[in-house]
Amino acid sequence: MTLTAEPATATRELTLSQALNEALREEMRRDPNVFVMGEEVAVWGAGGGIFGVTRGLVDEFGPERVRDTPISEEAIAGIACGAAVTGTRPVAEIMYVDFTAMAMDPIVNQAAKLRYMFGGKAKVPMVIRAQEGAGRGNAAQHSQSLEAWFVHVPGLKVVTPSFPADAKGLLKSSIRDDNPVIFLEHKALYQTRGPVPEGEYLVPLGVADVKREGKHVTVVGVHTMVHKALAAAEKLAAEGIEVEVVDPRTLVPLDVETIVRSVKKTKRVVVAHEAVERGGVGGEIAMQIVDNAFDYLDAPIKRVCGRNVPVPYNLNLERLAIPQEEDVIAAIRELVAGAV
Amino acid sequence: MTLTAEPATATRELTLSQALNEALREEMRRDPNVFVMGEEVAVWGAGGGIFGVTRGLVDEFGPERVRDTPISEEAIAGIACGAAVTGTRPVAEIMYVDFTAMAMDPIVNQAAKLRYMFGGKAKVPMVIRAQEGAGRGNAAQHSQSLEAWFVHVPGLKVVTPSFPADAKGLLKSSIRDDNPVIFLEHKALYQTRGPVPEGEYLVPLGVADVKREGKHVTVVGVHTMVHKALAAAEKLAAEGIEVEVVDPRTLVPLDVETIVRSVKKTKRVVVAHEAVERGGVGGEIAMQIVDNAFDYLDAPIKRVCGRNVPVPYNLNLERLAIPQEEDVIAAIRELVAGAV
Amino acid sequence: MTVATLDLPKTVVLDILRKMYRIRHFETKVIELFQEGQIRGSTHTYIGEEASGVGACSALRPDDYITSTHRGHGHCIAKGGRLDLMMAELLGKSTGYCKGKGGSMHIADVDAGILGANGIVGGGIGIATGAGLSIKIKRTDQVCVCFFGDGGFNQGVLYECANIAALWKLPVIYLCENNKYAMSTPIEKSSAVADLSARAAAFGMPGINVDGMDVLAMREAVWHAAERARRGDGPSLIVADTYRFEGHNVGDGQRYRTREEVERWRQSDPILRFRDQMVRQGLITDPEADQIEAEVQDELARAIEFASQSPEPDVETLEQDVYA
Amino acid sequence: MTVATLDLPKTVVLDILRKMYRIRHFETKVIELFQEGQIRGSTHTYIGEEASGVGACSALRPDDYITSTHRGHGHCIAKGGRLDLMMAELLGKSTGYCKGKGGSMHIADVDAGILGANGIVGGGIGIATGAGLSIKIKRTDQVCVCFFGDGGFNQGVLYECANIAALWKLPVIYLCENNKYAMSTPIEKSSAVADLSARAAAFGMPGINVDGMDVLAMREAVWHAAERARRGDGPSLIVADTYRFEGHNVGDGQRYRTREEVERWRQSDPILRFRDQMVRQGLITDPEADQIEAEVQDELARAIEFASQSPEPDVETLEQDVYA
Ligand SMILES: Cc1ncc(C[n+]2csc(CCOP(=O)(O)OP(=O)(O)O)c2C)c(N)n1
Ligand SMILES: Cc1ncc(C[n+]2csc(CCOP(=O)(O)OP(=O)(O)O)c2C)c(N)n1
Ligand SMILES: [Mg+2]
Ligand SMILES: [Mg+2]
């Protein structure tokens, strides 16, 4: 299992939130055109960000480059777009992905399309950071996973890190990318700790990572589902079922090659994400497999995704609404039944 | 080929736009709580609606029930939601589906979720009519097909009529439905003429219609693709390839049973829509087939969808950006190669 | 405006005091339960702002509507919400207002005119304006009070809806509770205009500032706005000058404001202020007031008892009520 | 405001006249070509409103920015756009500003500071405000003029952005071209406030009304607002009182307004008005003016020639420039 696309180097343990904070610092030091804006990014809590991702940035870079905004999501995204097309590199935060519902016009109709509509004569190097997912009892308006909306919009790139090291390297690449990048963090993963290489490194957009190798079944997971798949793999290994876990890391561009290579090897695949199943990105990933490896499949592609309901508040109901480790295990057992 | 789920009756020819106009009139006469609001629905052109769907309604029902609004899409959807939850039945128009990008919060975070969040103690009987699709040289911000966004949101129903008779019956059912319904019309189909039954009838939400029967391959098409599939079927019939064309008519609820029945019969399927392929609803429809008829498939499920680009202005480029009859024919030939 | 137009029967005095105590004690308990981990997610208390919601709702009829915010417990209680059903909801129980599916930010009682708390800042504005439209279409003479904060004031949907409400003369009262902060952000950093009510000029409706710590001033201001709305003269903007005594949410370290500032505001406690005034004016006696507070304590104890005894929602309910 | 602060060299007079003629003749030709089916989609002409865009842009520097609207040809020409590249774009040719991919509603020339026409009403507002922010961050003293209409004035994003621009003192000039209608909707039906500039009070910036049919008044108003912005004193709102002589788009039957009303406005033709004034003041002669118009006619003929001779975009370009 490789943690990044880079050669392994000396590492230390960081939380995903700390890793993102390092990425922002390094890129802001590197390029004076990089700046951060959003709600509560400068002052809240211990100095920025409801999950501490922007903590302390205002102390180092000042209020000109770390801007708390009024509660105006459409303006935040629109201003980021205008700032990007005129030569700066905004990293704008929308506090919860649910609130991008107020910012879809600037993201989808402006940022994603300007370059193409202008015949290639513009660049829109902006990053929209938003946080998605359930698991904290925030209920229906603060727990959605909406990556599928953005995946459906040509012109956008979509990033979904699951590990601290990936998160740092991917955010740095996203900030240096000349396209609008929707950088989606999962609220339940900020405190996840993991080794992060010392010093400068990037994780390229469009390169999946095989988090665990196995030969009986492939699980392609997004965000928390990568972790649940790894836990499931550990349990199933005891029974001799070898699960390969693939983390696409970026949904656009999608590393179809790595996914297909794995499926051609295992002949069985589970696609797992927390977003509701209906219309989720699982359908797209599955169709890429159908397009490229249909004849290799020994069993139907299975989806393990969020139930088609708004996320409920009650703990038990919320747990049931989103896929759990047991669900991944059950799906895998079904697929390998008899075969292993 | 049945035109509606209703027993055939005396019919006359209407355009899809006229059929929708009749549906609105009949429902407004039937229920004083039904009203229409939106941009340019009352006065524009020959008396309402850039495609004439609301034409003349203000003359019959007056300005209280047929309301031209300022250009404020978020307010239009939000007001519709509030009006619905307090006992009226708004039919709100968002002129182009592209502009729902400004109205996603009220549609997705409010209308779709209120009932569930309130523990079932609210009803939100509203219809959002919007018009989507390419083909008229309107370029990237006026030509998108965004049904996939709404299909991904539990609490919403999504309707996509392709024929005048269906359009009328489906709109009447949508207005009587107690849930928020996203009613998506295709701008290239308004002038499509077809037989429409005389008198009162409904087309239920959630019932697909087999527009043409065939035994070699199934095409599941959305909007214009139903028509292109029928044209393709006609041509291929000459060569002895019998194509079955299924029009889901509503994407939520989706009539999986009818689609699966057809695929079990033909063993081959093409899913076709104009929306960009990546993340489009084709992936969801395909996965329903995988979940329910995988072992019946003699060939990979094929998608014939919009290219992953913003819709360009130039005529030739626009034509290439969206799937054409030839593309459906090519996909079918590939699937049946050797088999027929 | 003169009080003459709006009298203050003793029943109303008692009701106002009871509701303010309900809010204060309910929220105090909420903080405790949240810290114990019995309440999930995030919860925002109304302590210090009681006069605004209670004064406003005391000027309304039972069939009038309100829309609320993420800080919704107070508005709900003020409009007649029941502590037991609210508490059960906060504990995620099947007996709660939302059967445990909504939690703190979604408590609603549509039949009582409470169109819901809202997790989206500004989310209630379109709903309130739409309620105003259906009132107009159905020709009843109800009104809808739309609560939002100084932070929510900056959402574009307010500008869009206020303009439409003014154009169509909808019976909506836009009530901004200016408690000086949006999370850590002070109004100076969120609004380019110091006097928030001045924005009414752009909306095409009258705008006034009211002492939000004075429950009777709020009652009167809202009553006049409601009269205007019922007459068909359209919407109004009211900016209530108030302050939240506690953090933005339970857990907020409040490094963005000084203890002194909070203390200064605590000096003008809206409940004590109203109680003293009523006692001085001889409208109630201290024993009566103590009696009410004691009753509220009992009611709250029973509510908590009810909530904790109530069952968790059945797992079958997960997929219920997504559609009607 | 006194003209003294801003002089009017003859070169500027000639440039203004040339650009107004360019717009008038270009748009007249556009109507013809659209009716012939050579231009697709929908197109919106600027005939009658020339003074607004030309006056505004004549007060700007080449490195300043503008954002435009669906009615963007005039703004583009005013900021220095080339007729040949514009016409080629309208005909969907590979030599057009957008290589045939954008069409009428997306013509842009970022290097010339033209951040694009926009098919979304209000779509340019966030972009203009963001341009103002990057100017501030890069510490140049450019400004950005944000054009929008009386209809676009009702989009919430304007309220959000204007508030932020005022808070952060961004060098943005919000220029509303009040041509009295949004499609068929008259301002009385779209705005609750009669005097649109009054909304500036809610935005926290100065707001003025200007005679949008007087190119010099526009030039001066924008020049003063730009000076203010360059000084770091922040944004302004300017409402230009103007009128579109033609339909909303080519094909609009205009049943929502009377011939008489249109005729009345045509009487105050902004081009004739400016030309006569300049001739009277002896700043130019009639022959010079005729000469300019003739040159514009040639230029336009060459532009059309260029456009029609240009090749269609290569099919390979379909998937190019989606990503950088
Ligand atoms: C659309 C949206 N943006 C941001 C948030 C996060 N948030 C929740 S409360 C809040 C501050 C609201 O301030 P204000 O409107 O003044 O209300 P107060 O909390 O002071 O009562 C913010 C930013 C949200 N819930 N919804
Ligand atoms: C978001 C959005 N809503 C609606 C439309 C449709 N539309 C195009 S132009 C227009 C009227 C605009 O009026 P105004 O802003 O006054 O500009 P004008 O046409 O008068 O120059 C409308 C409603 C659109 N293009 N974008
Ligand atoms: Mg506040
Ligand atoms: Mg106009």
Side-chain angles (χ1 to χ4, degrees), chain C residues 239-255:
Chain C
V239 177
D241 185 17
T242 181
Y243 197 81
R244 65 168 152 77
F245 291 174
E246 300 296 326
H248 165 70
N249 58 339
V250 184
D252 173 6
Q254 301 178 61
R255 298 187 358 169

Side-chain angles (χ1 to χ4, degrees), chain D residues 239-255:
Chain D
V239 177
D241 185 16
T242 181
Y243 197 81
R244 62 168 154 76
F245 290 176
E246 300 296 327
H248 164 69
N249 58 340
V250 184
D252 173 5
Q254 305 179 58
R255 301 191 348 174

Side-chain angles (χ1 to χ4, degrees), chain A residues 35 64 67-68 70 72 74-75 78-79 82-83 86 88 105 109-110 115-121 155-156 179 252, chain D residues 65 97-99 101-102 106 108 115 118 120 123 126-127 130 133-134 136-138 157 160 168 318 320-321 323-324:
Chain A
F35 71 96
E64 274 289 301
R67 296 178 169 264
D68 270 338
S72 304
E74 188 174 358
I79 289 170
T86 51
T88 53
D105 176 66
N109 291 329
Q110 310 301 334
R115 179 178 179 78
Y116 191 83
M117 295 189 300
F118 293 179
K121 301 201 189 108
L156 300 179
N179 300 286
V252 180
Chain D
Y65 295 112
Y97 265 121
C98 312
K99 301 183 184 165
K101 286 174 171 173
H106 303 297
L115 300 181
N118 210 304
I120 300 295
I127 295 171
L133 178 56
S134 68
K136 183 143 202 250
I137 285 174
K138 297 213 239 120
V157 69
E160 295 185 358
W168 296 353
L318 176 66
Q320 287 169 13
D321 295 324
Y323 293 96

